[in-house]
Amino acid sequence: MKEQYSPYWLTNSFKLPHTRVEVNALCRHLVNVNPLYSTTIDFYSIFLLKYLKITYSNADIFKQQDHIVNLQKLLSNMLHELWVIGETFPYCELSEEKGQWASVILQNPDYIIIKQSVINSELEIFLRPDEKLRSFVFKKEKTDTEIENLSKISPVIINDIKNGRNILLDKFYVTHLCRKQMPYEIRGMGIIPITFSLAMQLQQVMPQSDRIYIENQIKTAIGHPETLIGINKEIWLLKIKEVVAAIINWLNTKYYQPIAKINNITQIPVVEFNYEEFSNAIENI
């Protein structure tokens, strides 16, 4: 009988993460401990923002809004998530009194569940309550401060938690931004998983020449700034355009426009990314 080959049954494959939570954890770990990854992610999440320009209208409310949520830091964190694990879930909390976003929280993707309708392409985004939130809701004896904090949580959410259900997030407040490998995929994929096998090899004792070779392979795979020349530069500029377009679309449709509508403002800030200047800056790195 002919033996069938499957990479999933190789010894090294068992050492690699398989669930989304495991993959995300290893991606974060590599960024935290390996300079090859950290410098690349910083380049695509911090340096890249230098070329994102926001031109404000006469309405000062948008400047105040950006200051309240620390927009520059928020966008940097969103880009970081998109490149590292492939998706980010900004959740905007509204202050009805001020007609502004009180804060924008990036939900942990490890606790997010996405379901797609069988009838159409509409997605439903659920939050799986963590143990801390569950313990808080089920706690019998609460202090006055805890009772006050509990009153701020929607009764619908409390009911879902008590009945063991995941929390359905309102799409007015939450957005799913992701880097899809293919259009039919629901969840995103970062730039790091493709290098898991290479990163695993670096843990072994090997000649310096072999180590340098593997490190260069990792640099090319994740678009390290040193490798952005020739055709590789053009490929990564296309990937950058896709991610930046998602960020700009979120700013326009989910961040600025709702506030403009609430306050009867017709003109929102203009958000632009200068690809030419960014491309020229790459050549001088």
Side-chain angles (χ1 to χ4, degrees), residues 192-211:
I192 296 177
I194 195 174
T195 68
F196 281 171
S197 296
L198 294 170
M200 187 165 57
Q201 293 179 46
L202 289 179
Q203 305 303 313
Q204 305 170 7
V205 177
M206 65 180 68
Q208 184 64 16
S209 58
D210 291 349
R211 182 171 295 278

Side-chain angles (χ1 to χ4, degrees), residues 111-130:
Y111 291 91
I112 292 291
I113 299 168
I114 298 180
K115 295 181 180 179
Q116 187 170 20
S117 171
V118 295
I119 300 175
N120 52 47
S121 59
E122 285 290 316
L123 299 178
E124 290 185 326
I125 302 175
F126 294 85
L127 176 66
R128 177 166 56 85
D130 60 17

Side-chain angles (χ1 to χ4, degrees), residues 66-78:
D66 293 350
H67 176 72
I68 290 171
V69 303
N70 194 353
L71 184 63
Q72 196 74 6
K73 179 63 175 177
L74 172 66
L75 294 179
S76 176
N77 290 339
M78 289 173 65

Side-chain angles (χ1 to χ4, degrees), residues 241-256:
K241 284 185 178 181
E242 180 184 357
V243 170
V244 169
I247 291 290
I248 292 177
N249 182 64
W250 175 81
L251 283 169
N252 288 333
T253 62
K254 304 291 287 187
Y255 179 75
Y256 285 129

